[in-house]
Amino acid sequence: MAASAVASPLCTWLVAACMSVACGEERPRGQWRGSALGGAGPRRRRGRGGVGAAAAASWMERRDPPRRIISALFGGSGGIQGLMSTCLAFEPCADFVHGSTNGSASFLAEHLFGATRRRRRAARSSAASGKAMAVALQPEKEAVEKKKLDTKQRRVVVTGMGVVTPLGHDPDVFYDNLLAGVSGISEIETFDCSSFPTRIAGEIKSFSCDGWVAPKLSKRMDKFMLYLLIAGKKALEDGGITEDIMNLLDKTRCGVLIGSAMGGMKVFNDAIEALRVSYKKMNPFCVPFATTNMGSAILAMDLGWMGPNYSISTACATSNFCILNAANHIRRGEADLMLCGGSDAAVIPIGLGGFVACRALSQRNNDPTKASRPWDVDRDGFVMGEGAGVLLLEELEHAKQRGAEIYAEFLGGSFTCDAYHMTEPHPEGTGVILCIEKALAESGVAKEDVNYVNAHATSTPAGDLKEYQALIHCFGQNPELRVNSTKSMTGHLLGAAGGVEAVAVIQAIRKGWVHPNINLDNPEKSVDANVLVGSRKERLDVKVALSNSFGFGGHNSSILFAPYK
């Protein structure tokens, strides 16, 4: 009986003390430069004309590194055992010595944790009645309540971009190639596809992880994850997030939301082949490296970002879903910075074979650069591509305080579902029209203000026309409207398409040029060629730009960007 009388208050004391230790030092996190995942990390940007050094310095002086309450499991000096030893070193109180269970708990709550008078009275009442009592160690309401953020005024801007594409791995190189009408479609070289009816893709030929991902991990990870990590870190570098600024960020308010349509197909496929021999031959990382969420998770681990972190998979609409949800986290006051977009690497035998079986791919093998031809009468299916596109979204005032260069403003967007067919668009374009109209309403944008649309247009017979008809229905009265398809040069990057095309849209806003539609030699008769960008780049003062992405399952997404004013 004596032992049981002692156990209850002692456990209460130990658990409460252990779970409320404020550590003077933060738990070591994966640092960007020289970390286990990050290799050499970011390099300082050159020629950042838009970054205000004085503003950034002032911002850095005002910020203190965040202090957090962390679990004793991660503390130093012996971890949980050291902490228990420290707890047991306290002198026992008189009530405890005399064996009063409830009295000792009340004493600990009062003297160690600052309990309120109300809690003291409740404790005494419970002790008097002889009932077992647990002291709720809650901090004072006034101490923990924070002033609610005024989310109505929280504007979201783009301050960084990162890409890995068949047309280059730098946003400027990528867009310069688009403006020049360069095609990234070529014969597949990474595996023997001679037995396939389609042997072309927007394949990335040259790619290096050096300085971005540690060699051990780069050998085990699926390419979709490598593309994601590199595009994400490049977006940070492009956004001027140096190591000094990184160390001053409140990492509990920084998040990662980068999705994938297909995930780690190569890793999973290799695991199945290994299983044919024995489960002992399987890669122990095959499950985590195949899941779509793990890219975002590992990037967050590497950066130490503790804010919203997950992935969304809505087929080829994935990136737009991620971008809009990331922006909403910022608007709601849940984050200040978000890395968002998509990544896919399905140009492998099982990926190619799967889409061939769907009869969705072009078979123009003898002329790869002419294979992807949205709105052209001779189109015969889309062309697979691979890569990643990532944006750094940031709350406006946060960006201004650190002197960031603002590329564009994110206005909003919307999602809908056709609820019609797994792969075919609704014959009347109902879901797409609804999605566009909802995006405009949510963003407070008038139809006549949208003068540029980066269309989903994959080069499929039905999809291109249904989207065009929806666009004309929504914007047909605007004589300034210009429409193009990035996929005419990159192919279809699946879940990464929306992220890469968002970069193209932002570059159009920055540079005042929209890229051409290549291979549009014979437009469909029902298509007004005057609405579509021609075979050469065109000057355009973009007022508001719309970017569409649609996916198998009837997923529709539309997001809006505009010049920052």
Side-chain angles (χ1 to χ4, degrees), residues 102-171:
N102 295 308
S104 63
S106 177
F107 175 87
L108 290 172
E110 179 176 349
H111 294 282
L112 290 180
F113 303 106
T116 61
R117 291 181 181 177
R118 185 172 66 251
R119 292 196 194 118
R120 295 172 198 163
R121 286 197 298 270
R124 293 190 189 106
S125 175
S126 177
S129 65
K131 295 179 180 179
M133 179 198 71
V135 179
L137 302 175
Q138 298 282 348
E140 288 296 327
K141 198 171 186 180
E142 295 79 14
V144 298
E145 270 192 353
K146 294 182 180 179
K147 184 179 179 182
K148 288 186 178 180
L149 295 166
D150 185 3
T151 57
K152 292 181 180 178
Q153 301 300 319
R154 286 176 68 82
R155 296 166 64 184
V156 180
V157 294
V158 181
T159 55
M161 302 178 288
V163 294
V164 176
T165 77
L167 292 177
H169 311 323
D170 175 87

Side-chain angles (χ1 to χ4, degrees), residues 18-357:
C18 292
M19 293 305 293
S20 60
V21 172
C23 296
E25 295 181 359
E26 294 186 348
R27 174 171 58 91
R29 290 188 295 267
Q31 295 297 316
W32 194 2
R33 184 184 298 275
S35 71
L37 299 179
R43 297 169 287 276
R44 291 187 178 273
R45 301 188 66 204
R46 300 177 183 176
R48 291 285 299 175
V51 177
S58 175
W59 179 76
M60 289 167 64
E61 288 174 3
R62 292 198 300 271
R63 295 295 302 268
D64 293 323
R67 293 171 58 83
R68 296 195 302 276
I69 304 299
I70 66 171
S71 168
L73 291 173
F74 297 106
S77 304
I80 195 76
Q81 289 183 340
L83 185 57
M84 289 179 69
S85 300
T86 303
C87 292
L88 292 171
F90 282 108
E91 290 292 333
C93 64
D95 286 342
F96 187 82
V97 172
H98 292 301
S100 174
T101 305
N102 295 308
S104 63
S106 177
F107 175 87
L108 290 172
E110 179 176 349
H111 294 282
L112 290 180
F113 303 106
T116 61
R117 291 181 181 177
R118 185 172 66 251
R119 292 196 194 118
R120 295 172 198 163
R121 286 197 298 270
R124 293 190 189 106
S125 175
S126 177
S129 65
K131 295 179 180 179
M133 179 198 71
V135 179
L137 302 175
Q138 298 282 348
E140 288 296 327
K141 198 171 186 180
E142 295 79 14
V144 298
E145 270 192 353
K146 294 182 180 179
K147 184 179 179 182
K148 288 186 178 180
L149 295 166
D150 185 3
T151 57
K152 292 181 180 178
Q153 301 300 319
R154 286 176 68 82
R155 296 166 64 184
V156 180
V157 294
V158 181
T159 55
M161 302 178 288
V163 294
V164 176
T165 77
L167 292 177
H169 311 323
D170 175 87
D172 289 329
V173 172
F174 162 68
Y175 200 63
D176 286 345
N177 281 326
L178 287 179
L179 292 178
V182 176
S183 175
I185 313 300
S186 61
E187 293 184 4
I188 295 171
E189 297 177 1
T190 52
F191 63 94
D192 181 10
C193 56
S194 57
S195 62
F196 289 84
T198 294
R199 299 183 291 278
I200 56 175
E203 184 182 50
I204 293 173
K205 306 294 186 185
S206 176
F207 176 73
S208 173
C209 299
D210 292 348
W212 299 105
V213 182
K216 274 188 178 180
L217 285 175
S218 67
K219 292 176 181 177
R220 291 178 169 178
M221 284 181 174
D222 192 275
K223 279 187 177 179
F224 102 90
M225 201 174 289
L226 296 176
Y227 295 161
L228 183 157
L229 292 173
I230 293 174
K233 291 185 178 183
K234 285 188 174 184
L236 287 179
E237 183 182 65
D238 184 66
I241 304 291
T242 62
E243 286 183 70
D244 290 338
I245 291 179
M246 178 70 83
N247 290 334
L248 293 175
L249 293 175
D250 181 352
K251 295 180 178 63
T252 65
R253 298 185 57 78
C254 301
V256 185
L257 179 41
I258 306 173
S260 176
M262 311 301 286
M265 293 184 71
K266 178 67 162 58
V267 166
F268 199 72
N269 183 76
D270 290 349
I272 292 173
E273 292 301 317
L275 185 60
R276 296 180 189 277
V277 179
S278 168
Y279 73 90
K280 296 179 181 180
K281 298 292 184 181
M282 293 175 67
N283 178 354
F285 295 95
C286 67
V287 171
F289 282 179
T291 56
T292 60
N293 73 298
M294 199 56 63
S296 284
I298 288 181
L299 182 54
M301 293 174 202
D302 206 3
L303 303 176
W305 284 19
M306 300 173 64
N309 185 284
Y310 55 103
S311 69
I312 296 173
S313 184
T314 48
C316 304
T318 291
S319 285
N320 278 11
F321 274 70
C322 291
I323 291 169
L324 179 52
N325 277 279
N328 286 338
H329 283 300
I330 296 174
R331 285 174 166 172
R332 292 194 298 262
E334 298 162 356
D336 295 323
L337 292 96
M338 291 290 298
L339 285 168
C340 54
S343 178
D344 261 316
V347 183
I348 58 175
I350 191 172
L352 181 66
F355 282 110
V356 164

